[in-house]
Amino acid sequence: MHQDTPESAESAFYVAFEARDLEAMMAVWAADAAIACIHPLAAPLTGRAAVASGWRSIFNAAGQFSMRVERVHEIRMADLVIHVVHEFLSIGQEIEPRPPIQATNVYRREADGWRMLLHHAAPLQVGRTSTARAATQALH
Amino acid sequence: MHQDTPESAESAFYVAFEARDLEAMMAVWAADAAIACIHPLAAPLTGRAAVASGWRSIFNAAGQFSMRVERVHEIRMADLVIHVVHEFLSIGQEIEPRPPIQATNVYRREADGWRMLLHHAAPLQVGRTSTARAATQALH
């Protein structure tokens, strides 16, 4: 898939994720040894071998699922773009989507297109978006 | 505080955080309208006014606490640096530190020094660093 914009790179990422296609997934990522992938509640996987191994485990463990992605924020620079997205997963026969995952995705412009540098996914507790409530319930 | 390296910007961020000093905290952040701050389990606060308001709420709600920060990964480019850190908070008279918070911090080189563009903090579940276990317990 061509990744001539950050948006097409992001689209390729989620298509590969939903398809559980390891080769397509790793084509989204930069060749950079410093790439980092953080799955919810886990420590970072860094470098292509570890990142690939993480996705392999996830794809092997996962049954059929579908995913809807909503972009909630963008920081756009000439050669680097950061997206914050909410991922809504529906697994197997579940009718109700699960609580969303919030991810920060960083893409960099490379010679041959935009590639992912970092994916940091973490739980987002629904209904806890108010600053004041978040502040009083969790120091940080 | 001078922010002539990403490291000094990060240090200024955590000094301001621990000191609950809103002015010092906001001096760490870029003037960019697109800055984003994600507190654990919360949606992003974007723009300087919302980011400041979030810190004000946290600083008002928080009692005395101390924080130890450990850098676990770095992606270093000429004008942009991404750090993944683990934050260990000890609140009030608690002797045991709380479970760590994992944060992705993005700094950009500006005319007058390095400034924070994004802070994404989220829970890190201790002992869940194994890829395989994370994969089987959480799809993503």
Side-chain angles (χ1 to χ4, degrees), chain A residues 13-14 17 32-47 50 53-55 57-59 61-63 65 67 72-77 80 82 84 86-87 89 91 98 101-104 106 108 117-126 128-132 134-136 138-140, chain B residues 13-14 17 32-47 50 53-55 57-59 61-63 65 67 72-77 80 82 84 86-87 89 91 98 101-104 106 108 117-126 128-132 134-136 138-140:
Chain A
F13 174 79
Y14 286 107
F17 191 165
D32 198 310
I35 60 169
C37 184
I38 300 175
H39 297 293
L41 304 177
L45 302 172
T46 62
S53 166
W55 287 114
S57 298
I58 285 174
F59 293 161
F65 66 95
M67 184 179 264
V72 297
H73 188 63
E74 177 179 69
I75 304 177
R76 201 169 188 102
M77 291 156 281
L80 197 121
I82 303 173
V84 180
H86 292 169
E87 305 170 348
L89 275 81
I91 300 180
R98 302 197 161 206
I101 295 292
Q102 180 163 258
T104 292
V106 180
R108 184 172 62 185
L117 272 186
L118 177 133
H119 171 69
H120 179 176
L124 169 65
Q125 194 160 327
V126 185
R128 284 279 301 283
T129 55
S130 150
T131 301
T136 53
L139 170 61
H140 177 59
Chain B
F13 174 79
Y14 285 108
F17 191 166
D32 198 312
I35 60 169
C37 184
I38 300 175
H39 297 293
L41 305 177
L45 301 172
T46 62
S53 167
W55 287 113
S57 298
I58 285 175
F59 293 161
F65 67 94
M67 184 179 262
V72 298
H73 188 63
E74 176 179 69
I75 304 177
R76 200 168 188 101
M77 291 157 280
L80 197 121
I82 303 173
V84 180
H86 291 169
E87 306 170 348
L89 276 80
I91 299 180
R98 301 194 161 208
I101 295 292
Q102 181 162 259
T104 291
V106 181
R108 184 172 62 184
L117 272 186
L118 177 131
H119 171 70
H120 179 176
L124 169 66
Q125 194 160 326
V126 185
R128 285 279 300 281
T129 54
S130 150
T131 302
T136 51
L139 170 61
H140 177 58

Side-chain angles (χ1 to χ4, degrees), chain A residues 6-72:
Chain A
E7 289 66 35
S8 57
E10 187 153 87
S11 171
F13 174 79
Y14 286 107
V15 165
F17 191 165
E18 201 175 44
R20 294 170 288 168
D21 181 334
L22 185 62
E23 194 179 339
M25 169 56 77
M26 292 315 296
V28 174
W29 288 81
D32 198 310
I35 60 169
C37 184
I38 300 175
H39 297 293
L41 304 177
L45 302 172
T46 62
R48 288 186 63 90
V51 170
S53 166
W55 287 114
R56 188 179 298 113
S57 298
I58 285 174
F59 293 161
N60 286 345
Q64 192 76 35
F65 66 95
S66 65
M67 184 179 264
R68 184 169 64 77
V69 179
E70 195 176 288
R71 189 172 308 144
V72 297

Side-chain angles (χ1 to χ4, degrees), chain A residues 78-101:
Chain A
D79 296 321
L80 197 121
V81 163
I82 303 173
H83 286 162
V84 180
V85 303
H86 292 169
E87 305 170 348
F88 301 86
L89 275 81
S90 303
I91 300 180
Q93 300 306 309
E94 291 175 3
I95 290 166
E96 289 296 315
R98 302 197 161 206
I101 295 292

